[in-house]
Amino acid sequence: QVKLAPVTPSSNPASLQPAETFETAKPSQDEIASVGLPPHSEEAEEGVLACCLLDPTECIHAAMARCIPESFYDLRRRTLWNCLVAMSEAHQPVDSITVQARLRATGALGDAGGIEYVFGLQDKIPSASNLPEYLKIIREKLLLRKLMALCSTTTTARHGTSSTPDEIINQFEEEALRIRDTQVQERPNKEVMVEFIASLQAEMSGTSPTRIHTGIYEFDKRFTGYKRGNMVVIAARPSMGKTGYMLEMARNMARARKIGVFSLEMVHEELIGRLVSAEAGINLDPRNLRYIQEGNDTESFQRITQASAVVSKLPIHIVDKSGMSIQQIRAHARRWVRKHGIEVIMVDYMQLVTGSSKRARDDRRLEIAEISKGCKEMAKELNIVVIVLSQLNRSVEQRGESSRPRMADIREAGEIEQDADWIQFLWSKIPLDEQKDAQNPEIVVSVAKNRNGPTGDVQLRFRKDCGRFECMTLDGCEEEERPRHKN
């Protein structure tokens, strides 16, 4: 006789569940992420649309200021959003009935989820008061989707492309910043007016945080320094002291600001030597150093030692890599600003910077245009002052060494002239070798362009032995006693 074994429950837990548990349930956000769907919030997207249907007069325009069609991941909700925007711009009344009627007329009712979905949206929320929070959520999800797409594009770009790793990284940084800055922010006039009045008061008292003085007294007295976001071009023929003038500003500014210098011509050690020489006011030529040592000039030695200690503490960051591209400079500047809070970037000099795109590298005019535009965009993007040195054409010498430079004398001048907020020339009314004091010639700083202020000349004396620029006159003040503008 065969006995039948009793029926025992299956070891599968699912067999123990009631039948209704097998109904399809909505996946959670974690489950969505686990199957690879891009980040999105169904509840927040429906919340925005429901607010627009409940209070179209207030909510549609508020949402339009912060939403784009891509903000809605689901095709149904994107179709509904486009319908709401179109009806609002056409000044048509908006509610569930008029919306479904328009969707039906345009043949988009099916894409919007059908009548039941449209009429059911208003029941999703109790009121339209939480619209700002819904908008914040869908914006965050949109940024995450864009960032994921950018990462995917960047990964694909490394295959079958001639771009270098540095170029790919720089492009990624630029696109990532562009994604972050796409949000449109509207500020009320009253709020902006308060800041405007505060900036006027700061300008009158000389304590404006957006105004950066050069530390060259006569220049700051006449032109009140540079403003954040400015691109400053300083141009001259060779041996007129461009680098010395740049380092004079860097040394002065660094007493209150943080400075970054890209030197594509001189090495780091040479720049440090020039800074120490200017700070000490002593020529550091090897012959002079031997004279100081052999003559037991303890005073000069002490000044050099003290100057070295001062320069070592100045917040001046220097990169001396030659052949840098404008993309590399911008990428490094972003890191400097994030890590060190750099407020002024100096580039020595523009004609030694290379373009980033192959098309620009094949055409010198396009290359200079890309470099000039990149410097201006860097100033605006990072809210800093960018000072760029540039060479002048030989046309100045053809007119005579003592002739005043013109903006057309800048090499590849067209784009530079357009992008720059300031254009300054260093030149001499009397040829340097004909001046009575050839070691301390008179140099004119001519401001030929100042987008938001006056133009004109400032007369300086260039101490070639130590690379310092000093004012010609100040009511008989000696240079050491001359007051400096505080940043």
Side-chain angles (χ1 to χ4, degrees), residues 33 54 90 105-106 114 120 127 196 207 241-242 260 271 309 317 376 398 414 472:
L54 285 173
T106 57
S127 71
F196 175 70
T207 60
K242 293 190 301 296
L271 294 178
H317 303 264
K376 177 57 183 175
Q398 294 171 357
M472 294 290 294

Side-chain angles (χ1 to χ4, degrees), residues 194-213 224 227 257 485-487:
V194 170
E195 294 181 5
F196 175 70
I197 296 299
S199 68
L200 286 182
Q201 293 173 338
E203 290 281 1
M204 288 186 286
S205 63
T207 60
S208 173
T210 63
R211 184 73 64 176
I212 297 179
H213 295 107
T224 67
K227 294 198 71 172
R257 307 284 184 178
H485 270 291
K486 291 185 178 180
N487 283 295

Side-chain angles (χ1 to χ4, degrees), residues 15-65:
S15 64
L16 301 177
Q17 301 299 320
E20 57 267 26
T21 60
F22 291 99
E23 293 180 358
T24 303
K26 292 182 180 179
S28 66
Q29 288 297 319
D30 291 338
E31 291 172 331
I32 290 175
S34 67
V35 298
L37 290 180
H40 66 282
S41 172
E42 177 181 348
E43 294 79 8
E45 291 180 18
E46 290 181 340
V48 170
L49 296 174
C51 289
C52 292
L53 290 173
L54 285 173
D55 190 358
T57 304
E58 295 292 333
C59 293
I60 292 181
H61 292 290
M64 286 173 62

Side-chain angles (χ1 to χ4, degrees), residues 139-169:
R139 175 180 178 270
E140 290 175 352
K141 301 299 181 183
L142 173 63
L143 294 183
L144 286 173
R145 293 200 297 274
K146 286 188 173 183
L147 189 58
M148 290 175 63
L150 176 59
C151 292
S152 176
T153 303
T154 304
T155 303
T156 306
R158 56 189 292 268
H159 300 289
T161 179
S162 59
S163 299
T164 65
D166 283 340
E167 290 174 339
I168 294 174
I169 292 172

Side-chain angles (χ1 to χ4, degrees), residues 345-380:
I345 294 289
M346 300 179 175
V347 182
D348 183 15
Y349 58 93
M350 181 179 290
Q351 280 76 17
L352 293 179
V353 181
T354 62
S356 301
S357 65
K358 184 178 184 302
R359 180 169 174 265
R361 290 194 295 267
D362 293 340
D363 186 324
R364 183 58 178 167
R365 184 183 61 82
L366 292 177
E367 186 174 35
I368 289 294
E370 179 188 332
I371 295 166
S372 176
K373 182 180 178 182
C375 288
K376 177 57 183 175
E377 289 178 347
M378 177 168 61
K380 292 180 64 179

